[in-house]
């Protein structure tokens, strides 16, 4: 006889994890186990208590801000653990009661029924590269905000350049501005310093991406993408860091569905409404400038 399977649902939070257990079989009991600390030691103790001899554990929890550390920790110790997509969890119509215990029990029950969709879990190096790429994107956004703040200040003072901004000529023009109020010179210097600091941060992170790329397992894919017109190093690295290994998609339709680039339709009776493909927000972030 094979091992008895026990399904474990984890509702993960920053400091604690709410645990629910579902016994194998369609009509097996689903019970609340309790709350444990969100630490590796507490997880190990939980697995030892639930996974005795002849018991195989199948653990699941929702993807969220706590990352993939629990999945990597449990997988390294030989336990089957999946991270599920929150947007694809089946929900009952009219169910307006949401608690940690109910969420954990629902995960265990749905995992036993095979109705959960697991997400792709990147390895630690891939996730590190993704964090680096996203840090650069945050720097690009900070630079854009700093430039907008400076432009807004100049607009309020009636200063109009009238040419392409952020060039050497534009910086010379900024350095030569005169104001009636001496305080405005202090404000201008502070805004310029903020722009320069944001530019330095962006350039520093760009250089780090270029330096870390050769040690990345997907570096050949990034190099191959750069053969396409308009695809520079940062854009290619961002695309691969966000999407991951393209070979995990069996066909182009799956890739387009992952990106959200699928047409939509809402038709009822004689009414027909179709919409063009539009990407899901934040699935693949733009690389910026």
């Amino acid at each position: 006889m094979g091992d008895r399977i026990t399904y474990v649902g984890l509702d993960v939070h920053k400091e604690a994890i709410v645990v629910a257990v579902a016994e194998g079989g369609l009509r097996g009991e689903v019970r609340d186990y309790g709350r444990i600390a969100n630490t590796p030691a507490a997880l190990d103790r939980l697995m030892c208590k639930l996974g005795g001899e002849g018991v195989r554990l199948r653990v699941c929890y929702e993807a969220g801000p706590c990352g993939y550390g629990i999945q990597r920790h449990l997988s390294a110790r030989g336990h089957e653990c999946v991270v599920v997509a929150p947007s694809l969890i089946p929900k009952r119509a009219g169910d307006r009661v949401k608690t940690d215990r109910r969420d954990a029990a629902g995960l265990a029950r749905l995992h036993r029924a095979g109705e959960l969709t697991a997400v792709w879990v990147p390895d630690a190096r891939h996730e590190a590269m993704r964090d680096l790429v996203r840090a650069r994107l945050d720097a690009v956004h900070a630079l854009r905000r700093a430039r907008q703040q400076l432009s807004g200040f100049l607009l309020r003072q009636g200063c109009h350049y009238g040419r392409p901004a952020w060039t050497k000529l534009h910086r010379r023009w900024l350095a030569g501005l005169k104001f009636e109020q001496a305080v405005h010179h202090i404000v201008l210097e502070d805004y310029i310093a903020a722009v320069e600091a944001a530019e330095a941060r962006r350039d520093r992170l760009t250089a780090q991406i270029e330096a870390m790329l050769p040690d990345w397992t997907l570096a050949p894919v990034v190099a191959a993408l750069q053969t396409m017109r308009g695809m520079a190093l940062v854009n290619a690295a961002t695309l691969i860091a966000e999407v991951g290994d393209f070979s995990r998609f069996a066909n182009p339709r799956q890739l387009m569905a992952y990106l959200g680039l699928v047409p939509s339709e809402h038709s009822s009776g004689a009414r027909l409404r179709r919409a063009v493909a539009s990407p899901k927000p934040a699935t693949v972030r733009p690389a910026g400038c």
Side-chain angles (χ1 to χ4, degrees), residues 249 251-262 278-280 283:
F249 299 102
N251 52 62
R253 290 190 300 274
Q254 291 184 2
L255 174 60
M256 293 300 102
Y258 174 79
L259 298 175
L261 295 174
V262 292
S278 59
K280 293 183 294 185
T283 299

Side-chain angles (χ1 to χ4, degrees), residues 173-194:
W173 176 77
L174 289 174
L177 289 176
K178 303 294 183 181
F179 302 99
E180 294 183 0
Q181 301 294 327
V183 175
H184 286 161
H185 289 281
I186 299 176
V187 176
L188 176 63
E189 292 176 358
D190 184 78
Y191 278 133
I192 292 176

Side-chain angles (χ1 to χ4, degrees), residues 65-86:
C66 293
Y68 307 107
I70 293 177
Q71 194 276 342
R72 295 195 184 105
H73 179 80
L74 296 180
S75 298
R77 281 152 178 76
H79 302 291
E80 180 181 336
C81 180
V82 297
V83 183
V84 302

Side-chain angles (χ1 to χ4, degrees), residues 124-135:
R125 183 175 291 274
H126 186 108
E127 188 176 14
M129 179 60 72
R130 178 184 291 177
D131 290 338
L132 180 59
V133 167
R134 290 180 177 179

Side-chain angles (χ1 to χ4, degrees), residues 29 59 82 103 111 119 126-127 135 138 140 160 167 198-200 231 243 256 260 270:
E29 179 187 6
V59 187
V82 297
D103 289 345
H111 191 31
V119 302
H126 186 108
E127 188 176 14
D138 292 338
V140 170
H160 308 281
T167 61
E199 288 177 341
M231 185 66 70
V243 176
M256 293 300 102

